[in-house]
Amino acid sequence: MTATNNNSNEIKKTIVPNENYTNQNLEKEDQPRKDQQQKTNPHEENILEKKFSPNRNFISKKQKKSYFATDGFEKKVVKIKRINKTTKGGRKMRFSVLLVIGDRKGNVGFGMGKSIEIPNAMQKALKNAKNNLTKVIMTKKGSIYHDIIGKSCAAKILLKPAPLGTGIVAGGAVRTVIELAGYSDIYTKNLGKNTPTNMIQATINGLKAQKTIEYIAKMRDKKISEL
């Protein structure tokens, strides 16, 4: 009996922890040492947060200034389109943005950008629009000099001068171009297809093809009073 009692006491001693051993010591053992902790790069964490964030199209105020700095030009988005491409791996989705910029003083341009995210597509479109800026002429009353038809592919836009106070008689993509170019009184009519890109290009081609009275007199070697 004495042998069995001694064995049981030895087992109890091994199982029962020391009374001075507190819960705080147990928590310290569970925590990994500083040497064993993995060193994480904060830059990598930010990239992962952006990559897997629920709203990937969110832009901060600082990013907006860099993305959409137009240097005195106004911008208007004409169309945002989603593009799906089917491949072996599945469907790939992208966005295309068409926008027009202008300073309302005769400078106007348009551009298109494509990307996986809308902000990046707008940045590309804005860059292309700045590279495609063109100068158009207008009368002192804010109209065009004569009737003209602008063409681009299957799009045809008829432009007519209007008296003071008429306003802009146009719609869709044509209106955005005329407003940002700086015209105040004009008649327009679409005679062809309704593709926004071709309509914008046809409108700009028509505005660029205007001829002033001074230019016609110079080409004919005549005075303005003789015309």
Side-chain angles (χ1 to χ4, degrees):
M1 292 293 289
T2 57
T4 55
N5 290 330
N6 292 330
N7 291 330
S8 63
N9 290 330
E10 288 177 1
I11 293 166
K12 286 180 181 180
K13 285 180 183 179
T14 55
I15 295 171
V16 176
N18 190 3
E19 293 178 356
N20 297 325
Y21 200 77
T22 58
N23 293 327
Q24 293 179 356
N25 295 326
L26 290 170
E27 290 177 358
K28 286 180 181 178
E29 286 186 356
D30 293 337
Q31 293 177 357
R33 293 181 180 178
K34 291 183 180 179
D35 299 335
Q36 295 176 356
Q37 288 179 355
Q38 294 180 354
K39 294 181 180 180
T40 57
N41 189 358
H43 182 64
E44 292 178 358
E45 291 179 356
N46 294 332
I47 292 170
L48 291 172
E49 286 178 2
K50 288 180 182 178
K51 190 174 181 181
F52 298 105
S53 60
N55 188 4
R56 295 177 67 184
N57 295 330
F58 175 76
I59 317 168
S60 63
K61 290 182 179 179
K62 291 182 180 179
Q63 286 175 332
K64 279 183 181 179
K65 289 181 181 178
S66 61
Y67 279 151
F68 309 125
T70 52
D71 300 331
F73 287 86
E74 295 182 26
K75 66 173 180 60
K76 284 189 178 181
V77 177
V78 177
K79 191 174 183 181
I80 297 175
K81 188 169 64 174
R82 188 175 66 182
I83 303 165
N84 290 322
K85 184 180 179 181
T86 306
T87 59
K88 282 185 178 181
R91 290 185 179 179
K92 292 184 179 180
M93 187 176 66
R94 291 192 304 167
F95 294 94
S96 71
V97 177
L98 176 65
L99 59 82
V100 181
I101 63 170
D103 60 352
R104 297 183 185 270
K105 295 178 182 178
N107 295 312
V108 67
F110 76 101
M112 180 181 284
K114 297 178 183 180
S115 181
I116 299 171
E117 297 180 0
I118 293 174
N120 294 335
M122 291 185 73
Q123 187 183 9
K124 290 179 181 179
L126 187 62
K127 185 179 179 181
N128 293 331
K130 285 181 179 179
N131 294 331
N132 294 329
L133 279 173
T134 55
K135 180 73 176 177
V136 294
I137 56 175
M138 65 182 74
T139 62
K140 294 180 180 179
K141 296 180 180 179
S143 186
I144 58 176
Y145 285 92
H146 53 83
D147 298 2
I148 196 162
I149 295 175
K151 296 180 181 179
S152 177
C153 297
K156 292 182 182 179
I157 306 296
L158 173 64
L159 305 170
K160 282 187 175 185
L164 188 64
T166 304
I168 297 171
V169 182
V174 179
R175 187 178 185 87
T176 58
V177 174
I178 290 168
E179 280 183 351
L180 295 177
Y183 294 96
S184 57
D185 302 294
I186 190 171
Y187 292 117
T188 65
K189 186 173 178 61
N190 184 17
L191 304 176
K193 299 294 183 180
N194 296 324
T195 310
T197 310
N198 292 338
M199 288 172 69
I200 291 169
Q201 186 66 64
T203 306
I204 293 173
N205 290 342
L207 296 173
K208 284 168 62 179
Q210 293 182 83
K211 295 178 182 178
T212 61
I213 299 171
E214 292 82 4
Y215 177 80
I216 294 169
K218 186 178 179 180
M219 293 298 291
R220 294 183 182 180
D221 292 330
K222 292 183 179 180
K223 296 180 181 179
I224 296 173
S225 59
E226 295 176 356
L227 293 175

